[in-house]
Amino acid sequence: MKGNQYLKLLFLTCNLLLTNITFAQTKTAATKRPYDVAAFLYPAYASDDPRLRPFWPAGNGEWETVLNMQERFPGHYWNRKPLWGPVNEADPAVMSMEINQAVTHGVNVFIFDWYWYDGRPFMETTLDNGFLKADNKDQMKFYLMWANHDVVNTWDTRLNKYNENNVIWTGKVSRAEFEKICKRNIEKYFKLPQYYKIDGKPVFMIYDMPQLIEGLGGVEQAEDALKWFKSETKKAGFPGLELQLTMWSINMNHSGFDGSKTQNPENAFVKKLGFTSATHYQFCHFANVNDDYLNILEGVKKEWARIDTTFEFVYYPHISVGWDNSPRTGKSAVVRNNTPENFEKGLRMAKAYADAHPKQTPLITINSWNEWTETSYLQPDNVFGYGYLNAVKKVFVDEKR
């Protein structure tokens, strides 16, 4: 072979190798999933739900608490106003606008707080009449977080000041009630194309495990009920159920998981019940929120590291916008310095966690889309405008992975 022919062949071979490497890199980059940024949605801002009237008689849901704050506590520092106004989120036209704003700013999943009291669903109109009837509902996904806590006087500002702590409805359910709930959700929601799934498995989050365990009769009974739930989900044609735990700081060790006999009782307890993933709902569930936001984030990072070494399930990182429950109570622990700029730092921290765990779905949860009375919302207001939404957009839309 002549010298120039050899060089030509060598050049072509190298060029082909470089092309293949570039193609492989491009293919790898293309197969990386975009982030699933999921915001919890509290469905109490509805005007057409008669079951909300006992708590908010004005007929516009918990907007009543937001709007009459200054009347109840004149001169109180909390004076937030929604830039979109006190909208009815059970109106499909309103929800269509909100879906558009959410997706534009990088939020592509809503996690609906979902309730069941007195043998029937509660606060379901925002999901059924708003989200699922919106003309652009296919632009994003949703899943359910069963908020199975007791209802006391917290929502009714006429009564909560008396601190009577009387239970109006309990979140505990019997096995028969549990099966009724699960079958209904499988048929009504899991089968919808908009329902969020991981590897084809519908995601279902449970808020309060002690409540569930007590209602079902104990840890063994809860284990059996959740195993049945997974089986029913498979019977419905799904590869399984992504059962998601809401993490709290409370001790998850229950009867049968004695710390002196079990090396890791928390992990053993969660494994026994069959949870395959977890996230948090609010920073206040595990952190001292009466602090500066940046200090809270340092504690959050340590908690994530603890979870990584303690549990075998998949943990999806969570970031809360803030905390201030005084619209309901008049007094509250208050997160300080939770500016959109500092919130953005939290989002970057969550993004880095997701990137450091490439084998799991890049899901990040945020509290929340609209928790106005807990002062932890992405929706625009008179204080920061679109600041929080723009922070999400900057991290997850404007900057590519």
Side-chain angles (χ1 to χ4, degrees):
M1 183 181 290
K2 294 182 179 179
N4 60 344
Q5 289 178 319
Y6 174 79
L7 288 173
K8 186 175 181 181
L9 180 61
L10 181 64
F11 173 77
L12 289 171
T13 303
C14 290
N15 189 48
L16 181 61
L17 284 171
L18 287 170
T19 301
N20 287 338
I21 291 170
T22 303
F23 175 76
Q25 290 174 336
T26 303
K27 187 177 180 181
T28 301
T31 56
K32 283 187 177 180
R33 282 191 58 177
Y35 299 93
D36 288 335
V37 181
F40 291 100
L41 192 150
Y42 173 52
Y45 298 102
S47 303
D48 56 355
D49 191 335
R51 292 193 78 195
L52 304 188
R53 292 267 183 172
F55 305 100
W56 304 291
N60 60 348
E62 202 163 16
W63 284 125
E64 181 174 346
T65 303
V66 175
L67 299 176
N68 71 8
M69 173 71 176
Q70 290 298 312
E71 295 173 19
R72 290 181 290 116
F73 305 105
H76 193 282
Y77 65 85
W78 200 97
N79 192 15
R80 303 292 183 101
K81 293 181 174 62
L83 290 191
W84 296 339
V87 294
N88 174 18
E89 293 184 326
D91 181 332
V94 169
M95 188 54 70
S96 178
M97 177 275 292
E98 294 195 10
I99 289 171
N100 182 61
Q101 289 292 330
V103 173
T104 299
H105 289 89
V107 177
N108 54 1
V109 182
F110 280 152
I111 309 172
F112 278 84
D113 296 356
W114 184 84
Y115 302 84
W116 183 276
Y117 296 122
D118 199 24
R120 53 200 173 124
F122 179 69
M123 284 201 216
E124 221 177 39
T125 54
T126 299
L127 173 56
D128 288 351
N129 299 343
F131 183 87
L132 291 177
K133 291 182 180 178
D135 57 9
N136 57 350
K137 64 181 181 294
D138 293 336
Q139 291 184 17
M140 70 186 306
K141 303 292 185 181
F142 80 98
Y143 69 96
L144 302 181
M145 188 217 51
W146 182 13
N148 60 326
H149 56 75
D150 288 344
V151 175
V152 292
N153 289 332
T154 306
W155 288 332
D156 192 333
T157 56
R158 299 164 299 179
L159 297 175
N160 66 17
K161 61 185 176 183
Y162 297 113
N163 298 315
E164 293 174 332
N165 204 36
N166 60 303
V167 177
I168 301 167
W169 292 318
T170 181
K172 302 177 185 68
V173 297
S174 66
R175 176 61 183 261
E177 193 81 354
F178 177 81
E179 291 191 7
K180 179 181 177 181
I181 288 168
C182 295
K183 287 179 179 178
R184 183 179 184 276
N185 284 335
I186 290 169
E187 290 300 317
K188 185 174 182 181
Y189 295 122
F190 288 7
K191 293 184 177 182
L192 294 175
Q194 296 83 16
Y195 200 89
Y196 183 71
K197 301 170 182 74
I198 293 177
D199 297 328
K201 301 174 183 178
V203 182
F204 187 78
M205 187 173 175
I206 299 178
Y207 182 77
D208 193 327
M209 276 312 300
Q211 283 278 86
L212 186 70
I213 290 168
E214 190 174 341
L216 291 172
V219 174
E220 299 295 333
Q221 291 87 343
E223 177 195 12
D224 186 68
L226 291 171
K227 190 178 293 183
W228 171 89
F229 187 13
K230 287 187 173 185
S231 174
E232 287 297 304
T233 305
K234 283 187 175 181
K235 284 181 184 178
F238 299 102
L241 174 69
E242 182 69 23
L243 192 59
Q244 195 170 87
L245 177 72
T246 303
M247 294 291 290
W248 292 61
S249 61
I250 58 174
N251 185 5
M252 289 186 293
N253 185 13
H254 285 261
S255 175
F257 292 87
D258 188 337
S260 64
K261 298 177 181 177
T262 306
Q263 187 175 6
N264 188 348
E266 288 187 334
N267 184 61
F269 167 68
V270 173
K271 283 184 68 177
K272 181 178 179 66
L273 291 174
F275 286 95
T276 45
S277 66
T279 188
H280 283 93
Y281 182 76
Q282 235 292 340
F283 281 171
C284 73
H285 287 168
F286 67 99
N288 172 25
V289 290
N290 200 33
D291 199 354
D292 185 274
Y293 193 75
L294 295 181
N295 292 338
I296 294 170
L297 286 183
E298 286 302 310
V300 168
K301 192 182 297 184
K302 290 177 183 176
E303 177 66 3
W304 292 353
R306 184 190 76 84
I307 291 169
D308 255 355
T309 57
T310 303
F311 296 98
E312 295 176 39
F313 55 50
V314 172
Y315 175 76
Y316 296 112
H318 170 83
I319 296 294
S320 292
V321 176
W323 177 265
D324 182 351
N325 201 28
S326 62
R328 289 172 176 159
T329 62
K331 56 184 179 179
S332 175
V334 179
V335 172
R336 301 186 296 277
N337 201 27
N338 57 327
T339 62
E341 291 74 22
N342 285 339
F343 173 62
E344 181 185 325
K345 293 176 183 177
L347 294 176
R348 292 190 183 284
M349 201 169 83
K351 186 179 184 182
Y353 183 97
D355 291 345
H357 296 74
K359 292 184 180 180
Q360 67 185 52
T361 297
L363 171 65
I364 291 157
T365 67
I366 296 175
N367 183 291
S368 74
W369 181 249
N370 62 347
E371 282 276 18
W372 284 83
T373 50
E374 295 177 357
T375 321
S376 188
Y377 52 85
L378 293 172
Q379 290 179 344
D381 70 357
N382 58 317
V383 178
F384 293 115
Y386 279 74
Y388 291 122
L389 279 173
N390 285 333
V392 179
K393 183 174 183 291
K394 186 175 179 181
V395 175
F396 295 104
V397 177
D398 297 342
E399 298 174 11
K400 302 301 180 184
R401 188 167 189 168

PDB file of all heavy atoms in Angstrom, residues 218-247:
ATOM      1  N   GLY A 218     -52.995  -2.646  63.058  1.00  0.00           N
ATOM      2  CA  GLY A 218     -51.628  -2.990  63.444  1.00  0.00           C
ATOM      3  C   GLY A 218     -50.711  -3.126  62.246  1.00  0.00           C
ATOM      4  O   GLY A 218     -51.145  -3.055  61.085  1.00  0.00           O
ATOM      5  N   VAL A 219     -49.427  -3.336  62.518  1.00  0.00           N
ATOM      6  CA  VAL A 219     -48.426  -3.411  61.450  1.00  0.00           C
ATOM      7  C   VAL A 219     -48.675  -4.605  60.534  1.00  0.00           C
ATOM      8  O   VAL A 219     -48.605  -4.482  59.297  1.00  0.00           O
ATOM      9  CB  VAL A 219     -47.005  -3.480  62.051  1.00  0.00           C
ATOM     10  CG1 VAL A 219     -45.968  -3.712  60.948  1.00  0.00           C
ATOM     11  CG2 VAL A 219     -46.672  -2.192  62.798  1.00  0.00           C
ATOM     12  N   GLU A 220     -48.950  -5.753  61.108  1.00  0.00           N
ATOM     13  CA  GLU A 220     -49.172  -6.958  60.292  1.00  0.00           C
ATOM     14  C   GLU A 220     -50.375  -6.772  59.369  1.00  0.00           C
ATOM     15  O   GLU A 220     -50.332  -7.136  58.188  1.00  0.00           O
ATOM     16  CB  GLU A 220     -49.397  -8.179  61.195  1.00  0.00           C
ATOM     17  CG  GLU A 220     -48.231  -8.508  62.106  1.00  0.00           C
ATOM     18  CD  GLU A 220     -46.983  -8.932  61.339  1.00  0.00           C
ATOM     19  OE1 GLU A 220     -47.138  -9.465  60.213  1.00  0.00           O
ATOM     20  OE2 GLU A 220     -45.875  -8.731  61.857  1.00  0.00           O
ATOM     21  N   GLN A 221     -51.444  -6.191  59.905  1.00  0.00           N
ATOM     22  CA  GLN A 221     -52.657  -5.961  59.104  1.00  0.00           C
ATOM     23  C   GLN A 221     -52.405  -4.922  58.010  1.00  0.00           C
ATOM     24  O   GLN A 221     -52.919  -5.053  56.896  1.00  0.00           O
ATOM     25  CB  GLN A 221     -53.799  -5.506  60.011  1.00  0.00           C
ATOM     26  CG  GLN A 221     -54.305  -6.581  60.960  1.00  0.00           C
ATOM     27  CD  GLN A 221     -53.513  -6.644  62.268  1.00  0.00           C
ATOM     28  OE1 GLN A 221     -52.408  -6.118  62.367  1.00  0.00           O
ATOM     29  NE2 GLN A 221     -54.099  -7.285  63.264  1.00  0.00           N
ATOM     30  N   ALA A 222     -51.602  -3.902  58.335  1.00  0.00           N
ATOM     31  CA  ALA A 222     -51.264  -2.886  57.329  1.00  0.00           C
ATOM     32  C   ALA A 222     -50.416  -3.500  56.219  1.00  0.00           C
ATOM     33  O   ALA A 222     -50.603  -3.205  55.026  1.00  0.00           O
ATOM     34  CB  ALA A 222     -50.524  -1.718  57.980  1.00  0.00           C
ATOM     35  N   GLU A 223     -49.467  -4.349  56.604  1.00  0.00           N
ATOM     36  CA  GLU A 223     -48.637  -5.037  55.613  1.00  0.00           C
ATOM     37  C   GLU A 223     -49.509  -5.842  54.653  1.00  0.00           C
ATOM     38  O   GLU A 223     -49.320  -5.799  53.428  1.00  0.00           O
ATOM     39  CB  GLU A 223     -47.646  -5.963  56.314  1.00  0.00           C
ATOM     40  CG  GLU A 223     -46.798  -6.769  55.346  1.00  0.00           C
ATOM     41  CD  GLU A 223     -46.077  -7.930  56.005  1.00  0.00           C
ATOM     42  OE1 GLU A 223     -46.405  -8.256  57.167  1.00  0.00           O
ATOM     43  OE2 GLU A 223     -45.208  -8.534  55.340  1.00  0.00           O
ATOM     44  N   ASP A 224     -50.468  -6.576  55.204  1.00  0.00           N
ATOM     45  CA  ASP A 224     -51.340  -7.402  54.373  1.00  0.00           C
ATOM     46  C   ASP A 224     -52.209  -6.549  53.457  1.00  0.00           C
ATOM     47  O   ASP A 224     -52.400  -6.874  52.278  1.00  0.00           O
ATOM     48  CB  ASP A 224     -52.222  -8.273  55.269  1.00  0.00           C
ATOM     49  CG  ASP A 224     -53.048  -9.260  54.459  1.00  0.00           C
ATOM     50  OD1 ASP A 224     -52.466 -10.188  53.876  1.00  0.00           O
ATOM     51  OD2 ASP A 224     -54.284  -9.088  54.401  1.00  0.00           O
ATOM     52  N   ALA A 225     -52.713  -5.429  53.969  1.00  0.00           N
ATOM     53  CA  ALA A 225     -53.569  -4.547  53.173  1.00  0.00           C
ATOM     54  C   ALA A 225     -52.796  -3.925  52.021  1.00  0.00           C
ATOM     55  O   ALA A 225     -53.293  -3.840  50.886  1.00  0.00           O
ATOM     56  CB  ALA A 225     -54.168  -3.460  54.060  1.00  0.00           C
ATOM     57  N   LEU A 226     -51.563  -3.487  52.287  1.00  0.00           N
ATOM     58  CA  LEU A 226     -50.763  -2.854  51.235  1.00  0.00           C
ATOM     59  C   LEU A 226     -50.318  -3.879  50.196  1.00  0.00           C
ATOM     60  O   LEU A 226     -50.221  -3.571  49.005  1.00  0.00           O
ATOM     61  CB  LEU A 226     -49.554  -2.145  51.855  1.00  0.00           C
ATOM     62  CG  LEU A 226     -49.912  -0.908  52.698  1.00  0.00           C
ATOM     63  CD1 LEU A 226     -48.689  -0.396  53.457  1.00  0.00           C
ATOM     64  CD2 LEU A 226     -50.494   0.205  51.827  1.00  0.00           C
ATOM     65  N   LYS A 227     -50.069  -5.116  50.641  1.00  0.00           N
ATOM     66  CA  LYS A 227     -49.734  -6.191  49.701  1.00  0.00           C
ATOM     67  C   LYS A 227     -50.938  -6.463  48.795  1.00  0.00           C
ATOM     68  O   LYS A 227     -50.787  -6.680  47.585  1.00  0.00           O
ATOM     69  CB  LYS A 227     -49.343  -7.447  50.481  1.00  0.00           C
ATOM     70  CG  LYS A 227     -48.747  -8.550  49.624  1.00  0.00           C
ATOM     71  CD  LYS A 227     -48.340  -9.747  50.479  1.00  0.00           C
ATOM     72  CE  LYS A 227     -47.191  -9.393  51.397  1.00  0.00           C
ATOM     73  NZ  LYS A 227     -46.742 -10.574  52.192  1.00  0.00           N
ATOM     74  N   TRP A 228     -52.124  -6.450  49.381  1.00  0.00           N
ATOM     75  CA  TRP A 228     -53.351  -6.631  48.597  1.00  0.00           C
ATOM     76  C   TRP A 228     -53.505  -5.493  47.586  1.00  0.00           C
ATOM     77  O   TRP A 228     -53.873  -5.732  46.427  1.00  0.00           O
ATOM     78  CB  TRP A 228     -54.556  -6.650  49.534  1.00  0.00           C
ATOM     79  CG  TRP A 228     -55.873  -6.618  48.814  1.00  0.00           C
ATOM     80  CD1 TRP A 228     -56.592  -7.685  48.361  1.00  0.00           C
ATOM     81  CD2 TRP A 228     -56.620  -5.453  48.452  1.00  0.00           C
ATOM     82  NE1 TRP A 228     -57.740  -7.260  47.733  1.00  0.00           N
ATOM     83  CE2 TRP A 228     -57.784  -5.899  47.771  1.00  0.00           C
ATOM     84  CE3 TRP A 228     -56.417  -4.086  48.632  1.00  0.00           C
ATOM     85  CZ2 TRP A 228     -58.727  -5.004  47.267  1.00  0.00           C
ATOM     86  CZ3 TRP A 228     -57.359  -3.193  48.131  1.00  0.00           C
ATOM     87  CH2 TRP A 228     -58.500  -3.654  47.469  1.00  0.00           C
ATOM     88  N   PHE A 229     -53.217  -4.260  47.995  1.00  0.00           N
ATOM     89  CA  PHE A 229     -53.310  -3.097  47.113  1.00  0.00           C
ATOM     90  C   PHE A 229     -52.391  -3.277  45.899  1.00  0.00           C
ATOM     91  O   PHE A 229     -52.778  -3.027  44.746  1.00  0.00           O
ATOM     92  CB  PHE A 229     -52.938  -1.849  47.908  1.00  0.00           C
ATOM     93  CG  PHE A 229     -53.134  -0.538  47.202  1.00  0.00           C
ATOM     94  CD1 PHE A 229     -53.865  -0.425  46.028  1.00  0.00           C
ATOM     95  CD2 PHE A 229     -52.558   0.633  47.718  1.00  0.00           C
ATOM     96  CE1 PHE A 229     -54.039   0.798  45.378  1.00  0.00           C
ATOM     97  CE2 PHE A 229     -52.720   1.850  47.087  1.00  0.00           C
ATOM     98  CZ  PHE A 229     -53.459   1.932  45.916  1.00  0.00           C
ATOM     99  N   LYS A 230     -51.180  -3.734  46.139  1.00  0.00           N
ATOM    100  CA  LYS A 230     -50.236  -3.958  45.033  1.00  0.00           C
ATOM    101  C   LYS A 230     -50.764  -5.047  44.090  1.00  0.00           C
ATOM    102  O   LYS A 230     -50.665  -4.924  42.859  1.00  0.00           O
ATOM    103  CB  LYS A 230     -48.875  -4.370  45.588  1.00  0.00           C
ATOM    104  CG  LYS A 230     -48.104  -3.232  46.241  1.00  0.00           C
ATOM    105  CD  LYS A 230     -46.696  -3.678  46.614  1.00  0.00           C
ATOM    106  CE  LYS A 230     -45.863  -2.506  47.097  1.00  0.00           C
ATOM    107  NZ  LYS A 230     -44.455  -2.896  47.343  1.00  0.00           N
ATOM    108  N   SER A 231     -51.328  -6.084  44.680  1.00  0.00           N
ATOM    109  CA  SER A 231     -51.871  -7.187  43.874  1.00  0.00           C
ATOM    110  C   SER A 231     -53.033  -6.714  43.004  1.00  0.00           C
ATOM    111  O   SER A 231     -53.134  -7.070  41.819  1.00  0.00           O
ATOM    112  CB  SER A 231     -52.324  -8.323  44.795  1.00  0.00           C
ATOM    113  OG  SER A 231     -52.965  -9.344  44.062  1.00  0.00           O
ATOM    114  N   GLU A 232     -53.911  -5.904  43.572  1.00  0.00           N
ATOM    115  CA  GLU A 232     -55.047  -5.372  42.821  1.00  0.00           C
ATOM    116  C   GLU A 232     -54.589  -4.469  41.682  1.00  0.00           C
ATOM    117  O   GLU A 232     -55.184  -4.457  40.606  1.00  0.00           O
ATOM    118  CB  GLU A 232     -55.983  -4.600  43.760  1.00  0.00           C
ATOM    119  CG  GLU A 232     -56.791  -5.461  44.696  1.00  0.00           C
ATOM    120  CD  GLU A 232     -57.744  -6.397  43.951  1.00  0.00           C
ATOM    121  OE1 GLU A 232     -58.562  -5.896  43.154  1.00  0.00           O
ATOM    122  OE2 GLU A 232     -57.661  -7.618  44.187  1.00  0.00           O
ATOM    123  N   THR A 233     -53.530  -3.711  41.927  1.00  0.00           N
ATOM    124  CA  THR A 233     -52.987  -2.836  40.881  1.00  0.00           C
ATOM    125  C   THR A 233     -52.441  -3.673  39.721  1.00  0.00           C
ATOM    126  O   THR A 233     -52.637  -3.340  38.557  1.00  0.00           O
ATOM    127  CB  THR A 233     -51.883  -1.932  41.456  1.00  0.00           C
ATOM    128  OG1 THR A 233     -52.389  -1.213  42.579  1.00  0.00           O
ATOM    129  CG2 THR A 233     -51.402  -0.928  40.411  1.00  0.00           C
ATOM    130  N   LYS A 234     -51.789  -4.766  40.047  1.00  0.00           N
ATOM    131  CA  LYS A 234     -51.298  -5.667  39.000  1.00  0.00           C
ATOM    132  C   LYS A 234     -52.449  -6.305  38.232  1.00  0.00           C
ATOM    133  O   LYS A 234     -52.404  -6.446  37.007  1.00  0.00           O
ATOM    134  CB  LYS A 234     -50.403  -6.746  39.601  1.00  0.00           C
ATOM    135  CG  LYS A 234     -49.010  -6.271  39.959  1.00  0.00           C
ATOM    136  CD  LYS A 234     -48.136  -7.436  40.396  1.00  0.00           C
ATOM    137  CE  LYS A 234     -46.715  -6.988  40.637  1.00  0.00           C
ATOM    138  NZ  LYS A 234     -45.824  -8.109  41.045  1.00  0.00           N
ATOM    139  N   LYS A 235     -53.498  -6.702  38.960  1.00  0.00           N
ATOM    140  CA  LYS A 235     -54.669  -7.292  38.308  1.00  0.00           C
ATOM    141  C   LYS A 235     -55.299  -6.330  37.311  1.00  0.00           C
ATOM    142  O   LYS A 235     -55.918  -6.749  36.326  1.00  0.00           O
ATOM    143  CB  LYS A 235     -55.717  -7.679  39.360  1.00  0.00           C
ATOM    144  CG  LYS A 235     -55.406  -8.927  40.147  1.00  0.00           C
ATOM    145  CD  LYS A 235     -56.519  -9.235  41.133  1.00  0.00           C
ATOM    146  CE  LYS A 235     -56.203 -10.419  42.019  1.00  0.00           C
ATOM    147  NZ  LYS A 235     -57.281 -10.661  43.011  1.00  0.00           N
ATOM    148  N   ALA A 236     -55.149  -5.037  37.574  1.00  0.00           N
ATOM    149  CA  ALA A 236     -55.720  -4.019  36.690  1.00  0.00           C
ATOM    150  C   ALA A 236     -54.873  -3.807  35.440  1.00  0.00           C
ATOM    151  O   ALA A 236     -55.224  -2.981  34.590  1.00  0.00           O
ATOM    152  CB  ALA A 236     -55.877  -2.701  37.444  1.00  0.00           C
ATOM    153  N   GLY A 237     -53.754  -4.535  35.336  1.00  0.00           N
ATOM    154  CA  GLY A 237     -52.955  -4.480  34.119  1.00  0.00           C
ATOM    155  C   GLY A 237     -51.662  -3.708  34.225  1.00  0.00           C
ATOM    156  O   GLY A 237     -50.951  -3.548  33.223  1.00  0.00           O
ATOM    157  N   PHE A 238     -51.324  -3.245  35.415  1.00  0.00           N
ATOM    158  CA  PHE A 238     -50.081  -2.493  35.598  1.00  0.00           C
ATOM    159  C   PHE A 238     -48.972  -3.437  36.065  1.00  0.00           C
ATOM    160  O   PHE A 238     -49.245  -4.469  36.690  1.00  0.00           O
ATOM    161  CB  PHE A 238     -50.279  -1.375  36.632  1.00  0.00           C
ATOM    162  CG  PHE A 238     -51.323  -0.371  36.239  1.00  0.00           C
ATOM    163  CD1 PHE A 238     -52.593  -0.424  36.800  1.00  0.00           C
ATOM    164  CD2 PHE A 238     -51.047   0.614  35.307  1.00  0.00           C
ATOM    165  CE1 PHE A 238     -53.566   0.498  36.447  1.00  0.00           C
ATOM    166  CE2 PHE A 238     -52.021   1.540  34.942  1.00  0.00           C
ATOM    167  CZ  PHE A 238     -53.279   1.477  35.505  1.00  0.00           C
ATOM    168  N   PRO A 239     -47.706  -3.101  35.789  1.00  0.00           N
ATOM    169  CA  PRO A 239     -46.615  -3.972  36.240  1.00  0.00           C
ATOM    170  C   PRO A 239     -46.429  -3.975  37.756  1.00  0.00           C
ATOM    171  O   PRO A 239     -45.705  -4.803  38.290  1.00  0.00           O
ATOM    172  CB  PRO A 239     -45.381  -3.384  35.541  1.00  0.00           C
ATOM    173  CG  PRO A 239     -45.747  -1.977  35.201  1.00  0.00           C
ATOM    174  CD  PRO A 239     -47.221  -1.987  34.955  1.00  0.00           C
ATOM    175  N   GLY A 240     -47.071  -3.053  38.429  1.00  0.00           N
ATOM    176  CA  GLY A 240     -46.968  -2.978  39.880  1.00  0.00           C
ATOM    177  C   GLY A 240     -47.446  -1.627  40.374  1.00  0.00           C
ATOM    178  O   GLY A 240     -48.024  -0.842  39.630  1.00  0.00           O
ATOM    179  N   LEU A 241     -47.188  -1.365  41.657  1.00  0.00           N
ATOM    180  CA  LEU A 241     -47.569  -0.104  42.287  1.00  0.00           C
ATOM    181  C   LEU A 241     -46.329   0.537  42.868  1.00  0.00           C
ATOM    182  O   LEU A 241     -45.567  -0.112  43.597  1.00  0.00           O
ATOM    183  CB  LEU A 241     -48.591  -0.352  43.402  1.00  0.00           C
ATOM    184  CG  LEU A 241     -48.991   0.859  44.259  1.00  0.00           C
ATOM    185  CD1 LEU A 241     -49.804   1.862  43.438  1.00  0.00           C
ATOM    186  CD2 LEU A 241     -49.787   0.407  45.485  1.00  0.00           C
ATOM    187  N   GLU A 242     -46.099   1.792  42.540  1.00  0.00           N
ATOM    188  CA  GLU A 242     -45.020   2.562  43.162  1.00  0.00           C
ATOM    189  C   GLU A 242     -45.592   3.191  44.437  1.00  0.00           C
ATOM    190  O   GLU A 242     -46.244   4.231  44.403  1.00  0.00           O
ATOM    191  CB  GLU A 242     -44.510   3.648  42.214  1.00  0.00           C
ATOM    192  CG  GLU A 242     -43.356   4.472  42.764  1.00  0.00           C
ATOM    193  CD  GLU A 242     -42.057   3.689  42.903  1.00  0.00           C
ATOM    194  OE1 GLU A 242     -41.885   2.666  42.199  1.00  0.00           O
ATOM    195  OE2 GLU A 242     -41.222   4.090  43.725  1.00  0.00           O
ATOM    196  N   LEU A 243     -45.388   2.489  45.548  1.00  0.00           N
ATOM    197  CA  LEU A 243     -45.942   2.912  46.831  1.00  0.00           C
ATOM    198  C   LEU A 243     -44.954   3.866  47.492  1.00  0.00           C
ATOM    199  O   LEU A 243     -43.824   3.488  47.805  1.00  0.00           O
ATOM    200  CB  LEU A 243     -46.198   1.690  47.708  1.00  0.00           C
ATOM    201  CG  LEU A 243     -47.028   1.894  48.968  1.00  0.00           C
ATOM    202  CD1 LEU A 243     -48.421   2.432  48.636  1.00  0.00           C
ATOM    203  CD2 LEU A 243     -47.143   0.573  49.736  1.00  0.00           C
ATOM    204  N   GLN A 244     -45.392   5.096  47.695  1.00  0.00           N
ATOM    205  CA  GLN A 244     -44.491   6.165  48.132  1.00  0.00           C
ATOM    206  C   GLN A 244     -44.822   6.611  49.556  1.00  0.00           C
ATOM    207  O   GLN A 244     -45.967   6.908  49.878  1.00  0.00           O
ATOM    208  CB  GLN A 244     -44.592   7.346  47.162  1.00  0.00           C
ATOM    209  CG  GLN A 244     -43.478   8.353  47.273  1.00  0.00           C
ATOM    210  CD  GLN A 244     -43.521   9.345  46.119  1.00  0.00           C
ATOM    211  OE1 GLN A 244     -44.209  10.355  46.185  1.00  0.00           O
ATOM    212  NE2 GLN A 244     -42.778   9.059  45.057  1.00  0.00           N
ATOM    213  N   LEU A 245     -43.798   6.662  50.379  1.00  0.00           N
ATOM    214  CA  LEU A 245     -43.938   7.045  51.780  1.00  0.00           C
ATOM    215  C   LEU A 245     -43.680   8.543  51.955  1.00  0.00           C
ATOM    216  O   LEU A 245     -42.762   9.083  51.349  1.00  0.00           O
ATOM    217  CB  LEU A 245     -42.930   6.257  52.621  1.00  0.00           C
ATOM    218  CG  LEU A 245     -42.857   6.571  54.114  1.00  0.00           C
ATOM    219  CD1 LEU A 245     -44.091   6.040  54.829  1.00  0.00           C
ATOM    220  CD2 LEU A 245     -41.589   5.965  54.719  1.00  0.00           C
ATOM    221  N   THR A 246     -44.489   9.183  52.779  1.00  0.00           N
ATOM    222  CA  THR A 246     -44.207  10.560  53.177  1.00  0.00           C
ATOM    223  C   THR A 246     -43.284  10.509  54.388  1.00  0.00           C
ATOM    224  O   THR A 246     -43.662  10.001  55.446  1.00  0.00           O
ATOM    225  CB  THR A 246     -45.496  11.305  53.562  1.00  0.00           C
ATOM    226  OG1 THR A 246     -46.414  11.254  52.463  1.00  0.00           O
ATOM    227  CG2 THR A 246     -45.209  12.759  53.892  1.00  0.00           C
ATOM    228  N   MET A 247     -42.080  11.028  54.238  1.00  0.00           N
ATOM    229  CA  MET A 247     -41.095  10.987  55.315  1.00  0.00           C
ATOM    230  C   MET A 247     -41.398  12.041  56.377  1.00  0.00           C
ATOM    231  O   MET A 247     -41.721  13.183  56.057  1.00  0.00           O
ATOM    232  CB  MET A 247     -39.697  11.235  54.759  1.00  0.00           C
ATOM    233  CG  MET A 247     -39.182  10.150  53.840  1.00  0.00           C
ATOM    234  SD  MET A 247     -38.827   8.607  54.699  1.00  0.00           S
ATOM    235  CE  MET A 247     -37.385   9.062  55.653  1.00  0.00           C
TER     236      MET A 247
END
